[in-house]
Structures are given as C-alpha cells and as structure tokens.
C-alpha cells in the first residue's frame, strides 16, 4: 500500500495526470451554486422504508413498536407510513408529506411474579404514564379509561398484589366461560402461538377435557390482543416463553 501511494503521488499524478488530464479553468470563480432555501437535503439523502399502520395506529420498525401521537381525525389503518432513515442512524416517520410524532412502546421482558393478569394491568398503567394520555393508552391496550384509573388507584394503595383477580374478582356474565378455562386458553396460546383456533379447540378437548368453540377462542384472542399470529408470537417473545 505504501509503494502504491508513493507511485501515485510521486510518479502518476505529476508525470501523467497533471500533464495530460488536468485542464486549466477559464475563470477563477467557483462554479458551485447554493441550494435553494426550500430544498432540504436531509429529506432527499435518506433511505426510505415503508410499514403498514395497524388498527390502533401503531407500526413496527427495527424490531420495536411505535405509536403515532400526531392527532389524526380519521383512521389510517392498513395505510403505509414512510420511514426516512438518516445516515447518522436516526429516522423519522411520514404519512404523505406530514411528519408524524411517534413514541416507542416498550414491551416487558418477563411475566410479573403475580401472573399474566397482573402483568397486563401493570402494562396498562405504565403505558398511560409513558404516553401521558390515559384515553390513548386505553385504546391501545383495549380496555376502558375507568379500568386504568382503577388499576392506578389499587397499585398506589395495595401494590401489585391488589391487582390479582383472587383478591379483586371481576364481574363476569353468567354465560361467560370459567376464568380457569380462559387462563388455560391464554397459556396454551402463548406456548404455541402458531396454532389456529380450530386446532386449539381440539387440543383443549382431547388433552384437557375442556369444551369451547373456536369462536369463543377467537373472541378471547381479540380481547387479549392475540388475534393474529404476529401478535401471539410477539407476546410470547416478550414473556420469554419457549415456543
């Protein structure tokens, strides 16, 4: 490498490049023109990627989940958000020509010591604190604002143990399935997130002697935000469950 640089600087450039290639300019003034003020190179010199917006106005990028904070009067579900990646590693999200305000959603790494039910309630409280907006957190989690207010109050007065269903029983419809059955459905779902509702229904009957319909399983999945394979895999990975 040293010999090549020495040849380039001492022989090639002075004896060939300067004599045969270099051209004297006709004027000493610079030929560079300033950029127009309305031209933003940071919006042009970027790598663009696209992600699909979900029903709750969230999207995934670089193995992380983000929620759109910008006020939008209508649903943009299934639309494409444009991710503009800068060379310094930062990125910004655009919908059309509008830059969006976004917040990263942090998933818990392991199940709370008091179980998944307590974990979901704590997640709701933490998300509300993170976003600073209980209504938005309730929409993302899939519960009512009053539920989050209740969870906050119980956490402050009794701690996480107060959120356990055994101490705070929920009002359940007479026609609803037993709580133990619902917990078993969630448990088996997270252990095998690739299974569909029909396969899980057969497994519950054959291995656990539990009779439920596939539509009941789908309703539980929808309520627990597990109604797609991607959501089930994501929840399993967040809880460090071997699948």
């Amino acid at each position: 490498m040293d010999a090549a640089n020495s040849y380039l600087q001492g022989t090639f450039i002075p004896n060939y490049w300067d004599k045969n290639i270099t051209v004297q300019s006709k004027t000493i003034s610079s030929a560079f023109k300033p950029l127009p003020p309305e031209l933003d190179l940071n919006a042009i010199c970027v790598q663009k990627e696209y992600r699909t917006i979900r029903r709750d106005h969230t999207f995934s990028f670089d193995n992380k989940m983000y929620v759109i904070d910008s006020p939008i009067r209508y649903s943009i579900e299934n639309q494409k958000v444009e991710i503009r990646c800068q060379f310094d590693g930062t990125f910004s999200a655009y919908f059309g020509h509008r830059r969006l305000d976004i917040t990263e959603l942090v998933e818990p790494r392991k199940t709370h010591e008091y179980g998944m039910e307590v974990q979901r309630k704590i997640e709701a409280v933490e998300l509300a604190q993170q976003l600073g907006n209980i209504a938005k957190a309730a929409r993302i989690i899939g519960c009512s604002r009053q539920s989050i207010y209740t969870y906050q109050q119980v956490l402050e007065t009794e701690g996480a143990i107060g959120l356990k269903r055994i101490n705070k029983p929920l009002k359940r419809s007479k026609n609803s399935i037993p709580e133990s059955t619902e917990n078993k459905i969630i448990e088996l779902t997270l252990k095998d997130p690739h299974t569909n509702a029909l396969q899980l229904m057969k497994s519950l009957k054959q291995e656990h002697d539990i009779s439920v319909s596939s539509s009941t399983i789908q309703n539980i999945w929808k309520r627990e935000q597990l109604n797609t394979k991607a959501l089930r895999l994501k929840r399993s990975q967040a809880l460090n469950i071997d699948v």
Side-chain angles (χ1 to χ4, degrees):
M1 181 63 71
D2 293 338
N5 287 330
S6 177
Y7 171 78
L8 183 67
Q9 300 294 335
T11 304
F12 179 78
I13 292 179
N15 296 334
Y16 175 76
W17 185 268
D18 289 343
K19 292 180 180 179
N20 301 311
I21 304 298
T22 302
V23 177
Q24 295 295 326
S25 88
K26 295 181 180 180
T27 175
I28 61 174
S29 61
S30 175
F32 291 101
K33 295 182 179 180
L35 289 174
E38 68 276 5
L39 188 62
D40 183 11
L41 286 181
N42 290 328
I44 299 175
C45 301
V46 295
Q47 176 182 346
K48 295 183 179 180
E49 298 186 27
Y50 297 87
R51 296 293 186 273
T52 301
I53 301 172
R54 302 182 182 183
R55 188 188 331 183
D56 54 4
H57 285 188
T58 61
F59 64 91
S60 62
F61 176 70
D62 195 22
N63 295 323
K64 297 179 181 178
M65 288 294 298
Y66 297 87
V67 61
I68 297 173
D69 294 324
S70 300
I72 299 176
R73 296 182 179 179
Y74 53 90
S75 173
I76 54 175
E77 177 188 0
N78 293 328
Q79 301 294 319
K80 296 292 184 181
V81 62
E82 181 180 272
I83 309 297
R84 299 181 183 179
C85 305
Q86 308 290 343
F87 292 109
D88 60 1
T90 61
F91 74 94
S92 52
Y94 286 79
F95 182 70
H97 297 289
R98 175 185 178 185
R99 180 168 179 168
L100 301 174
D101 295 326
I102 60 175
T103 301
E104 180 184 350
L105 299 178
V106 180
E107 291 287 343
R109 295 185 178 180
K110 62 180 181 180
T111 307
H112 195 274
E113 59 179 320
Y114 297 123
M116 286 188 293
E117 180 62 26
V118 172
Q119 180 69 37
R120 287 192 292 270
K121 294 175 182 178
I122 292 177
E123 287 176 19
V125 174
E126 291 177 345
L127 181 59
Q129 294 173 345
Q130 180 184 353
L131 299 178
N133 188 317
I134 289 182
K136 183 178 293 185
R139 172 170 59 83
I140 294 173
I141 295 293
C143 66
S144 66
R145 289 177 295 176
Q146 183 58 48
S147 295
I148 297 182
Y149 285 122
T150 302
Y151 300 158
Q152 287 178 332
Q153 184 178 4
V154 172
L155 274 175
E156 292 174 359
T157 57
E158 304 178 38
I161 187 64
L163 295 175
K164 284 185 67 70
R165 281 185 171 182
I166 188 172
N167 294 330
K168 294 288 180 179
L170 301 179
K171 295 181 179 179
R172 300 176 64 85
S173 169
K174 294 181 180 180
N175 295 326
S176 63
I177 66 173
E179 181 180 331
S180 59
T181 299
E182 183 174 331
N183 290 337
K184 177 59 70 174
I185 290 173
I186 296 173
E187 176 188 346
L188 295 179
T189 296
L190 296 179
K191 285 184 177 180
D192 186 7
H194 297 281
T195 190
N196 58 41
L198 186 59
Q199 291 171 335
L200 182 55
M201 179 190 72
K202 294 179 180 179
S203 176
L204 286 166
K205 179 61 178 176
Q206 296 172 359
E207 300 177 14
H208 303 279
D209 195 25
I210 296 176
S211 298
V212 293
S213 65
S214 59
S215 59
T216 298
I217 295 174
Q218 290 171 344
N219 288 335
I220 293 174
W221 283 354
K222 185 175 182 180
R223 185 172 66 249
E224 299 293 332
Q225 294 188 350
L226 298 170
N227 48 309
T228 67
K229 184 188 295 184
L231 289 174
R232 297 193 288 273
L233 281 168
K234 186 170 180 288
R235 181 75 62 82
S236 293
Q237 293 169 356
L239 299 176
N240 291 331
I241 297 175
D242 296 329
V243 300

